[in-house]
Amino acid sequence: MSHATIFRKTLSALAAGLFVALALAGSARPAAADFRLCNNTPSRVGVAVGYKDAEGWTTEGWWNLPSRTCETVLKGNLVARYYYVYAIDYDRGGEWTGRAYMCTRDREFTIRGIGDCLAHGYDRTGFFEVDTGEQRAWTVQLTESAEQPAQKPLAPGNQLNAPPAGAGATSAPGNKTP
């Protein structure tokens, strides 16, 4: 066998290997690591979230979730163990609320800090706590109150570690449903 033939066969094998590697790399997807909310009700729902990152407390809103849909509200790996959610049913009234008070407003917002909401011109709103157990991704399921599982009280001490007082919210790691 001549050197030219060996060279062509080697080059052909390398090209085929490179093609396979590129095809596999192009089809690989990174694991989703997001904070998602699912509206499992027949109504349109508005959602606000709160969390603590390296710069302090932040609340953000509004995400409008049509009936029976899910949406990623925070993209990327979760930065905290505890997240806080407030949601309102636009069509039939009612809300998912709790005793962790944070600042909100009627229109789209990102607010830094949770103290003196009223003095700063914001509303003071009760959010319910979601313990992600330090998972990289989490999904909260908003359901009607009749579907609400029993809630376990959380440890007292921190005003932001109060049990949820609202209706129908469950949560699960990743994109699993409880």
Side-chain angles (χ1 to χ4, degrees):
M1 193 182 288
S2 74
H3 289 294
T5 304
I6 294 172
F7 179 75
R8 277 192 299 258
K9 286 186 178 188
T10 303
L11 189 58
S12 181
L14 285 173
L18 181 60
F19 176 77
V20 169
L22 288 173
L24 289 174
S27 67
R29 287 187 187 161
D34 303 318
F35 190 75
R36 294 174 44 85
L37 281 126
C38 293
N39 173 11
N40 294 322
T41 74
S43 300
R44 292 173 308 119
V45 172
V47 176
V49 298
Y51 57 90
K52 188 174 186 181
D53 61 17
E55 298 176 32
W57 288 101
T58 300
T59 52
E60 296 183 59
W62 295 98
W63 287 269
N64 295 306
L65 279 66
S67 174
R68 313 271 183 229
T69 63
C70 296
E71 185 169 337
T72 298
V73 296
L74 300 172
K75 296 183 187 312
N77 290 341
L78 302 183
V79 297
R81 176 175 177 170
Y82 297 100
Y83 286 80
Y84 299 86
V85 176
Y86 170 78
I88 187 164
D89 182 322
Y90 291 136
D91 296 333
R92 298 188 311 168
E95 59 190 3
W96 292 262
T97 186
R99 290 185 271 173
Y101 290 94
M102 300 183 174
C103 303
T104 62
R105 63 188 301 177
D106 288 339
R107 60 180 194 251
E108 186 177 328
F109 66 90
T110 298
I111 300 170
R112 290 306 227 155
I114 58 172
D116 299 325
C117 297
L118 300 175
H120 289 104
Y122 302 125
D123 297 319
R124 184 173 179 259
T125 306
F127 286 61
F128 68 87
E129 180 178 80
V130 176
D131 181 353
T132 67
E134 298 181 355
Q135 297 290 318
R136 292 177 351 123
W138 201 265
T139 297
V140 175
Q141 306 286 336
L142 298 174
T143 61
E144 297 186 61
S145 61
E147 301 171 17
Q148 171 64 18
Q151 296 288 330
K152 292 185 275 185
L154 301 174
N158 183 339
Q159 73 173 28
L160 293 177
N161 287 340
T170 58
S171 56
N175 291 324
K176 299 177 188 170
T177 55

